[in-house]
Amino acid sequence: MIFFMITILYVLIAAALLLIIALSIVKWFSRTDDPSGIIINWLKPFIKLLLGGIGKLLIIILKAIWSPFSHIKGAHNADLIAIFRGFRFIFGHPDMRGARYIRLCLEKKRLVIRSVFFLKELAVLPLNKISDIKIEKREQARERFTKSGNPMAGVFDDYLSSKPKDSEYIFSIRYEDVRGMKHDCVFRFRGLNLRNPRSRYQNADKITNIRSKIISAKPSIDSPDYAGPKLKPTREMGPQLSAPADDSRKDGTQGNSPLSI
């Protein structure tokens, strides 16, 4: 501590000596009684440049510090319905690179894959393009992928190298991209990992509720955002006031066909 204070003292003395020498030189050559004013005028452009650089650097640092928190603010400013935790993305979305832990954020018109800590948007699944959601154990998912000829069936185990546990579920979302091609976006869900036997049932209930919430958020068939098959009547049927002629009996009574009122 004493060495540090002595060093500071020497630096201040050296700076004072340099300042005195500079003032003396300026006063001698300029023949003026205000050498400090001349030095200040010389240093003004350098001071402005230095302060401008420091200001820009501070702005960059502040933006870098605020950027992660802006993702959280942006996520909550959106039409957020719920945030689902415990998911690890495995494969199935072109905007995602490699397996990673994520948050599934349910909004009014889309299901967003976000980062764990700062909720940065990584990928989007439009709710009106989701056609099916399956919850399976690992063996069931592998068998289904193999039977359906899914191209990822051959490398399914490469994405899930660890041994399955009771708390693990495979959460598969079937969706359609802009080209009309169907894909399976696959996640691994790990919930409670306790020795309590009830934890398995609590996990199952939790992930089933997540599936129900996503399905409930999908647009209804009458919504302009709905995308899917719509049933169209083949012909318009008006009110039927009598039975068909070929169903009448000779005695004037009607047959088995009920009358429409």
Side-chain angles (χ1 to χ4, degrees):
M1 184 67 180
I2 296 176
F3 177 76
F4 180 71
M5 294 179 65
I6 293 174
T7 304
I8 293 176
L9 180 61
Y10 282 141
V11 170
L12 292 175
I13 292 173
L17 288 173
L18 288 174
L19 182 60
I20 293 171
I21 293 170
L23 290 172
S24 300
I25 293 172
V26 171
K27 184 176 182 180
W28 175 263
F29 285 101
S30 62
R31 305 294 182 179
T32 180
D33 294 331
D34 187 20
S36 59
I38 295 175
I39 293 177
I40 292 173
N41 289 332
W42 287 349
L43 294 178
K44 273 184 180 180
F46 299 101
I47 293 173
K48 287 182 179 179
L49 184 63
L50 180 62
L51 293 178
I54 294 174
K56 290 180 181 179
L57 182 61
L58 288 175
I59 291 173
I60 293 173
I61 293 173
L62 291 175
K63 284 184 177 179
I65 294 173
W66 173 249
S67 179
F69 299 98
S70 65
H71 296 308
I72 298 175
K73 182 179 179 182
H76 285 280
N77 284 343
D79 297 329
L80 189 64
I81 298 174
I83 298 177
F84 306 127
R85 297 168 175 82
F87 284 90
R88 178 180 174 87
F89 171 81
I90 305 300
F91 59 82
H93 200 288
D95 295 335
M96 297 290 291
R97 298 292 182 268
R100 60 180 297 176
Y101 290 100
I102 54 95
R103 297 276 188 262
L104 276 179
C105 296
L106 178 62
E107 299 177 5
K108 285 187 177 181
K109 293 186 178 182
R110 57 185 194 159
L111 184 66
V112 185
I113 303 173
R114 295 185 181 272
S115 60
V116 172
F117 294 106
F118 298 110
L119 298 181
K120 180 181 178 181
E121 185 176 305
L122 304 174
V124 176
L125 294 171
L127 287 175
N128 61 348
K129 296 294 184 180
I130 295 175
S131 57
D132 192 15
I133 301 175
K134 292 188 181 298
I135 305 168
E136 302 160 299
K137 286 296 186 178
R138 189 182 296 190
E139 291 297 328
Q140 294 173 326
R142 184 192 295 107
E143 183 180 358
R144 180 173 63 85
F145 275 31
T146 303
K147 287 183 178 180
S148 63
N150 191 300
M152 300 303 295
V155 292
F156 189 85
D157 290 331
D158 294 339
Y159 288 91
L160 295 162
S161 56
S162 62
K163 293 182 179 179
K165 297 183 179 181
D166 290 339
S167 59
E168 177 191 275
Y169 293 89
I170 303 300
F171 194 81
S172 303
I173 300 178
R174 186 78 165 168
Y175 73 99
E176 184 178 301
D177 63 16
V178 293
R179 299 168 296 177
M181 299 180 66
K182 295 185 180 296
H183 307 274
D184 286 291
C185 196
V186 180
F187 305 87
R188 185 183 70 176
F189 176 81
R190 289 283 300 276
L192 299 173
N193 192 14
L194 306 175
R195 295 180 182 271
N196 185 354
R198 279 194 54 80
S199 65
R200 290 182 58 188
Y201 304 105
Q202 291 172 358
N203 282 333
D205 290 341
K206 181 178 179 180
I207 198 167
T208 302
N209 289 334
I210 291 173
R211 179 183 184 274
S212 300
K213 286 182 179 180
I214 295 174
I215 293 175
S216 300
K218 283 176 58 63
S220 64
I221 194 170
D222 298 325
S223 172
D225 296 322
Y226 175 82
K230 294 186 178 181
L231 297 177
K232 295 182 179 180
T234 55
R235 61 194 180 103
E236 295 183 3
M237 305 218 23
Q240 202 173 10
L241 300 178
S242 61
D246 56 359
D247 198 35
S248 299
R249 295 178 180 174
K250 292 181 180 180
D251 56 0
T253 60
Q254 301 295 329
N256 295 326
S257 298
L259 294 178
S260 299
I261 300 176

